[in-house]
Amino acid sequence: MPHRRLKKSEPVFSITTLPDLGIDIKDIEDDFKRYYGHRLGRDENCRSVHYVYEALSMVIRDRLTERWKKTYIACKKQDCKKAYYLSMEFLMGRTLSNAMLNLGVDDVVSQAMYDLGLDIEELIDAEPDAGLGNGGLGRLAACFIDSCATLQLPVTGYGLRYEYGMFSQTIVNGEQVEEPDHWLRNGNVWEIERLEYKQRIKFGGHTERHIDKEGITRVSWVDTHDILAVPFDTAIPGYQNGTVNTLRLWKATATEEFDLQEFNAGDYAESVAAKNTAENITMVLYPNDANENGKALRLQQQYLLASASLQDVLEVWVGRHGNDFSNFAAKNCFQLNDTHPSIAVAELMRLLLDNHELSWDDAWTITRNTMAYTNHTLLPEALERWSVDLFKQLLPRLMEIIFEINARFLAEVSAHWPGDKARIARMSLIEEGDQQHVRMAYLAIVGSYSVNGVAELHSKLLQQGLFHDFYQLWPEKFNNKTNGVTPRRWLAACNPELAELITETIGDGWLTDLSLLKKLEIYVDDKAFCKRWYEVQQAAKQKLIDYKKQELGVDLNVNALFDVQVKRIHEYKRQLLNVLHVIHLYDRIKRGDTANWTDRCVLIGGKAAPGYHMAKKIIKLINNVSHVINHDPEVGNKLKLVFLPNYRVSAMEKICPGADLSEQISTAGKEASGTGNMKFMMNGALTIGTLDGANIEIREEVGDDNFFLFGLTEDQVENLRDHYNPAAIISQDEDLQRVINLLESGHFNQFEPGLFDGVIDSMKSPHDPWVTIADFRSFVDAQKRVEAAFQDKDRWTKMSIINCANSGKFSTDRTIAEYNNELWKLTPVHVAK
Ligand code: 376
């Protein structure tokens, strides 16, 4: 055992007496040289930018670690309530530039690197993204922990340390090809492995009952195949406030005795293979946002996260309070990021009942007062269900506990609605049928004191639709927390020129109180300010153009309207509606209808789940249309369509400062919130959007005149369902007819006959859930209003300023303050800077 605890010897030193590390240019340069030369063993002849990046990162990381310890000590001293954000995904992106900004050393470090003949931008770009998430839900978790640290709230993020993150996307012959993302290949200087805090996780086996001394039935879960969860910690710095919180990610490894058993049986190879099986659990992030589910490995991942994190928290609790849990719920709370970690409800019950010998009622009271659940999607196909058979096999004790929770819950339902059999079947945690399934969302609702949606409309629809029965039973549990994004990464770091202009104009308070951006509004009539705003926007566009020229070899025109849609490829997000509009513009050029034309570059990017065939076809269609348009000399600069490959956090950091128009065009009622919409708005882009998710609140903030609204409302979409007739709509709209004809004639797939039949048929079907055809005319008209506004540069600039000025609500600082004031009730912990 290499990690035995110190027994006889006790340390006679304390690291708190260390002198603080300096942050002057000289300190940074000296430390950098020491790491580069002595630690990494490199010199000026080494041409690899990676080692330079690594040496600088170690310099920054040391300064984080210093503050990290101080935060830890301050929290411990106060014995305050803590919250834990449980999430299968933390889409962190890059760390270096954010760490420098939050430490307040970005200028000094840039200068130090410059003095050494190094370009800080190049070093920042050398870092691989930590792509440990699919999209919105994972990036939200990353923005949340940034805001928690900035608000000095004692919140720890718990997640999984996937060896392979979100796949890397390349486009071959117009099609998506997935490549594994081995992001840890060159090591990760930001993490600290903490073997001393490993946890044991059980799988398989069976349960046994016995009566203890007090005559109480106790359950043991035995003959299990255990694995170990080892934590890797990353520092999460607040914005220039001395606070550094923790993101703790678990890695699965084999237990020592598992190896020994095999060794004793004489099978060396088997034992090494067993190690591999264990490590497989955290090998790869599942790249499916929303569909395809039910894989045993995914359930193992979820349980590992829940069990390791809860045991970690309970270990600290027992270390301080022994087996006295009377205050546990007052001092701890767990926020569940969707249902993915919701097995934590049953696992906390198990640990309290079986390991700490609490009564069912006491354990249940604690559980219900510590868990809170956030829902991120209304799509029924995305609701998690696990087969009872699989559950019994992998987690027999947890299945028993879920059955018991369900029996007691259904008794409550019966008491509330006597004789209402249909309601009991609807509300049961177990879905009956050919095969029984556990409904994870219901487990999360029943086991939590709070259920929230992520935008006003979404929360309302949860209450009126998906979770209506539960809302009737416990209306007080339901609430809304509109999403946000962190303004440090999504404005200050990614758009330093705009940030600088803002700070020069209104001071730097906006970095921690984004509502102050409102002060910009009085400058919309200031000619000099508007001119600078315009110039900064043009420079940001030029930077994006240069970057894309280098990456893709495409030439884009800085005076064209940059029309951007980047997000996961999904039918409900309606990239197809965007493509229909592009084809319509192409058709107008071809028929010479170009009076008063506005040049436009349409940029579309995003990944499709590898098994989502329709989404992959949509990518292929975008690329084929792009090929035809961009190679047509008649089109020239009037119109470009570019697919941006491998969309990810670091790509968005380059894209959002250069966008004029943000496409938020989902079918109303389907996008829970959206967060890309907020990033674009903050950077001064205008939105064309439906009344969906947070778009509604964005429009409320900027006013109707500064938002390009189109499309059916959620009610109208629902009312359309039984009499939707896309064929009739097409026949009555000449423009649309021409677009469909172009598609059907094979104009974009001349050498690939029939390739897009499935895509075209889906839009033409009266059963198309996304009613793309129904919104075409209204979308085209809204795009015309966009063009009119864009042609008037002064008007557009004013609208851009107004959008940025009114983006204050969409800071995660506001979102987290609401979570804290209404749900967590933590006291900020101030740390001496
Ligand atoms: C999954 C969703 C459903 C089922 C399985 C999933 C597995 C992984 C990732 C998922 N992702 C999301 O649900 C997701 O990203 N939802 C998005 O969450 C954002 C943050 O709240 C919202 O802004 C988006 O509207 C929502 O689509």
Side-chain angles (χ1 to χ4, degrees):
M1 280 281 283
H3 289 276
R4 64 181 180 79
R5 289 187 177 275
L6 292 171
K7 272 189 203 139
K8 290 204 189 87
S9 57
E10 285 298 326
V12 292
F13 61 89
S14 160
I15 60 154
T16 53
T17 56
L18 282 173
D20 288 350
L21 296 170
I23 50 169
D24 292 337
I25 294 192
K26 173 100 170 56
D27 305 316
I28 302 285
E29 282 183 10
D30 288 352
D31 267 14
F32 170 81
K33 287 183 193 158
R34 198 163 45 78
Y35 272 123
Y36 190 70
H38 296 165
R39 168 71 209 266
L40 298 178
R42 263 58 189 199
D43 61 21
E44 60 279 10
N45 296 315
C46 172
R47 304 312 305 163
S48 162
V49 63
H50 168 74
Y51 296 106
V52 181
Y53 151 76
E54 189 162 288
L56 175 59
S57 296
M58 291 191 281
V59 174
I60 301 300
R61 177 255 270 144
D62 289 357
R63 281 141 181 91
L64 287 177
T65 308
E66 236 183 352
R67 290 157 180 77
W68 204 357
K69 275 280 165 282
K70 287 184 183 163
T71 306
Y72 175 78
I73 291 165
C75 278
K76 207 169 158 180
K77 220 161 126 192
Q78 293 195 11
D79 190 26
C80 49
K81 182 175 184 187
K82 290 197 67 181
Y84 310 93
Y85 199 76
L86 265 53
S87 177
M88 291 284 285
E89 308 192 355
F90 284 90
L91 189 40
M92 300 299 287
R94 291 173 175 155
T95 294
L96 176 60
S97 65
N98 186 250
M100 293 191 298
L101 174 71
N102 283 11
L103 279 173
V105 299
D106 42 348
D107 288 342
V108 171
V109 173
S110 299
Q111 186 61 49
M113 293 298 106
Y114 184 84
D115 292 349
L116 298 173
L118 298 164
D119 173 15
I120 188 71
E121 295 259 342
E122 195 187 344
L123 305 188
I124 288 170
D125 273 341
E127 181 174 358
D129 277 39
L132 308 187
N134 273 279
L137 167 150
R139 182 55 229 176
L140 186 75
C143 286
F144 274 10
I145 55 175
D146 176 275
S147 281
C148 289
T150 294
L151 294 171
Q152 303 200 294
L153 298 175
V155 177
T156 297
Y158 276 114
L160 296 180
R161 181 181 177 275
Y162 303 107
E163 206 74 34
Y164 292 85
M166 189 63 198
F167 65 81
S168 151
Q169 178 195 56
T170 57
I171 300 297
V172 178
N173 186 30
E175 283 171 272
Q176 166 173 301
V177 174
E178 301 97 23
E179 278 165 18
D181 162 48
H182 195 191
W183 71 293
L184 295 166
R185 186 174 31 231
N186 295 317
N188 173 10
V189 299
W190 302 106
E191 66 185 11
I192 298 185
E193 181 176 10
R194 313 214 66 170
L195 276 162
E196 69 275 32
Y197 297 134
K198 65 182 188 276
Q199 296 293 346
R200 179 175 280 264
I201 314 295
K202 298 183 180 203
F203 287 105
H206 60 269
T207 60
E208 285 174 358
R209 259 140 257 268
H210 68 275
I211 313 279
D212 73 5
K213 290 191 291 282
E214 279 108 61
I216 301 167
T217 304
R218 297 286 169 200
V219 182
S220 326
W221 180 9
V222 296
D223 290 339
T224 51
H225 298 284
D226 298 356
I227 62 132
L228 294 177
V230 177
F232 286 70
D233 290 354
T234 302
I236 307 296
Y239 181 72
Q240 300 183 7
N241 62 5
T243 293
V244 176
N245 284 344
T246 302
L247 171 62
R248 176 160 285 185
L249 302 180
W250 299 100
K251 174 193 161 106
T253 69
T255 56
E256 296 93 349
E257 81 271 6
F258 202 89
D259 292 357
L260 266 182
Q261 273 174 21
E262 302 293 336
F263 276 126
N264 291 341
D267 203 334
Y268 171 77
E270 280 284 305
S271 90
V272 177
K275 195 169 187 74
N276 254 310
T277 318
E279 301 208 337
N280 266 340
I281 295 181
T282 50
M283 193 56 70
V284 59
L285 166 80
Y286 274 89
N288 310 309
D289 69 331
N291 39 27
E292 193 198 53
N293 261 308
K295 297 274 180 348
L297 187 64
R298 169 85 175 172
L299 183 57
Q300 292 179 329
Q301 292 184 338
Q302 296 185 349
Y303 182 63
L304 179 114
L305 168 63
S307 183
S309 309
L310 289 171
Q311 290 188 64
D312 198 40
V313 172
L314 290 182
E315 192 168 293
V316 173
W317 182 266
V318 171
R320 287 191 147 206
H321 305 92
N323 260 344
D324 177 2
F325 285 89
S326 50
N327 242 340
F328 185 79
K331 293 281 187 185
N332 295 283
C333 106
F334 299 93
Q335 191 71 42
L336 307 176
N337 200 17
D338 216 292
T339 54
H340 317 154
S342 62
I343 183 77
V345 168
E347 176 65 2
L348 182 55
M349 286 300 288
R350 183 186 77 82
L351 293 168
L352 295 176
L353 292 168
D354 299 355
N355 291 9
H356 301 287
E357 310 206 321
L358 268 65
S359 70
W360 181 278
D361 288 340
D362 287 349
W364 187 236
T365 305
I366 289 172
T367 302
R368 283 187 125 180
N369 287 321
T370 47
M371 298 282 166
Y373 157 56
T374 304
N375 172 285
H376 295 268
T377 178
L378 288 157
L379 301 183
E381 65 269 30
L383 292 182
E384 283 196 302
R385 295 149 64 254
W386 288 107
S387 116
V388 166
D389 289 343
L390 177 67
F391 231 114
K392 277 186 179 155
Q393 205 188 343
L394 278 179
L395 306 167
R397 178 60 182 138
L398 286 115
M399 193 63 251
E400 289 175 4
I401 289 172
I402 292 172
F403 278 137
E404 180 71 27
I405 292 172
N406 194 38
R408 290 169 184 250
F409 166 62
L410 292 182
E412 204 178 325
V413 174
S414 290
H416 204 271
W417 289 284
D420 193 343
K421 292 261 163 51
R423 193 183 290 262
I424 289 180
R426 285 204 307 270
M427 295 180 80
S428 174
L429 307 195
I430 306 299
E431 182 180 282
E432 302 295 336
D434 265 7
Q435 258 206 55
Q436 289 186 312
H437 284 92
V438 186
R439 294 161 162 158
M440 299 307 278
Y442 294 3
L443 175 65
I445 297 173
V446 172
S448 299
Y449 67 92
S450 164
V451 178
N452 77 280
V454 291
E456 295 283 354
L457 174 70
H458 172 232
S459 296
K460 188 189 97 179
L461 294 175
L462 286 180
Q463 293 168 24
Q464 295 180 350
L466 207 54
F467 299 151
H468 184 64
D469 290 323
F470 292 87
Y471 177 64
Q472 286 188 312
L473 186 58
W474 299 311
E476 68 286 350
K477 275 195 194 189
F478 286 77
N479 63 94
N480 173 249
K481 298 284 168 284
T482 298
N483 282 166
V485 303
T486 169
R488 271 75 62 185
R489 182 177 295 259
W490 295 113
L491 181 50
C494 74
N495 201 348
E497 292 78 13
L498 190 63
E500 168 106 45
L501 173 58
I502 294 170
T503 296
E504 249 179 63
T505 312
I506 62 167
D508 65 0
W510 61 272
L511 279 147
T512 49
D513 178 1
L514 204 65
S515 67
L516 294 176
L517 289 181
K518 188 86 186 164
K519 290 186 182 174
L520 289 172
E521 244 181 18
I522 57 171
Y523 294 90
V524 291
D525 295 317
D526 178 329
K527 281 232 170 69
F529 178 78
C530 290
K531 181 162 173 283
R532 287 198 57 199
W533 189 275
Y534 176 78
E535 286 165 359
V536 167
Q537 296 285 4
Q538 289 294 101
K541 280 170 83 171
Q542 190 57 51
K543 212 167 152 184
L544 176 58
I545 291 169
D546 296 345
Y547 174 68
K548 288 297 155 192
K549 167 91 188 165
Q550 195 188 28
E551 189 196 23
L552 305 173
V554 293
D555 250 319
L556 303 176
N557 166 15
V558 76
N559 292 312
L561 170 72
F562 275 35
D563 168 346
V564 188
Q565 187 179 25
V566 283
K567 50 184 80 227
R568 289 299 288 257
I569 309 293
H570 222 292
E571 287 163 279
Y572 84 81
K573 294 179 188 281
R574 297 201 297 195
Q575 282 89 0
L576 278 176
L577 181 58
N578 198 352
V579 174
L580 293 184
H581 175 245
V582 172
I583 296 173
H584 165 65
L585 292 179
Y586 167 72
D587 178 48
R588 276 182 55 196
I589 296 169
K590 297 304 278 184
R591 63 183 202 235
D593 175 17
T594 56
N596 224 347
W597 188 262
T598 304
D599 292 350
R600 192 190 282 254
C601 296
V602 180
L603 310 178
I604 304 179
K607 291 173 184 175
Y612 188 174
H613 299 294
M614 184 65 82
K616 290 184 139 177
K617 271 287 184 307
I618 293 171
I619 291 178
K620 173 69 171 158
L621 176 64
I622 297 166
N623 280 298
N624 277 24
V625 172
S626 159
H627 187 84
V628 170
I629 291 177
N630 298 354
H631 287 87
D632 187 330
E634 236 185 294
V635 175
N637 259 344
K638 291 192 183 65
L639 180 63
K640 289 265 184 291
L641 172 60
V642 178
F643 186 86
L644 307 175
N646 204 26
Y647 176 60
R648 60 199 188 282
V649 173
S650 61
M652 184 55 155
E653 289 169 3
K654 299 192 160 83
I655 294 165
C656 69
D660 292 308
L661 185 67
S662 153
E663 298 267 353
Q664 308 299 337
I665 61 178
S666 52
T667 311
K670 301 301 174 193
E671 187 70 270
S673 161
T675 44
N677 47 3
M678 301 169 185
K679 295 165 197 167
F680 283 116
M681 175 200 200
M682 223 170 256
N683 283 277
L686 275 58
T687 305
I688 184 167
T690 48
L691 285 177
D692 200 13
N695 296 351
I696 297 173
E697 291 158 72
I698 288 178
R699 181 163 167 269
E700 262 165 32
E701 295 298 302
V702 296
D704 308 1
D705 295 344
N706 299 297
F707 185 104
F708 300 101
L709 179 69
F710 78 97
L712 298 175
T713 62
E714 188 271 331
D715 292 348
Q716 290 169 333
V717 169
E718 285 319 305
N719 292 331
L720 185 62
R721 295 251 178 256
D722 39 357
H723 55 95
Y724 180 42
N725 187 351
I729 299 172
I730 295 167
S731 70
Q732 283 153 30
D733 186 325
E734 201 192 319
D735 289 336
L736 179 54
Q737 206 161 30
R738 294 176 64 96
V739 169
I740 299 290
N741 284 346
L742 274 172
L743 277 169
E744 290 188 325
S745 71
H747 189 79
F748 304 106
N749 51 316
Q750 295 203 7
F751 305 103
E752 301 160 305
L755 190 64
F756 299 124
D757 290 359
V759 175
I760 302 165
D761 290 349
S762 76
M763 285 190 285
K764 289 175 69 181
S765 162
H767 306 294
D768 173 22
W770 324 114
V771 297
T772 305
I773 295 298
D775 276 346
F776 174 82
R777 176 46 47 192
S778 158
F779 185 52
V780 169
D781 290 346
Q783 290 284 14
K784 285 188 186 142
R785 300 199 299 277
V786 169
E787 285 157 11
F790 191 73
Q791 288 190 0
D792 181 347
K793 290 282 164 256
D794 294 343
R795 179 171 160 217
W796 188 272
T797 300
K798 279 186 188 173
M799 291 170 83
S800 166
I801 296 167
I802 291 170
N803 265 267
C804 174
N806 290 288
S807 65
K809 175 174 180 185
F810 305 105
S811 165
T812 34
D813 297 347
R814 188 271 312 150
T815 312
I816 289 298
E818 288 179 9
Y819 274 93
N820 190 48
N821 294 336
E822 295 166 37
L823 305 179
W824 304 340
K825 302 184 191 294
L826 312 174
T827 315
V829 177
H830 300 289
V831 186
K833 273 204 255 181

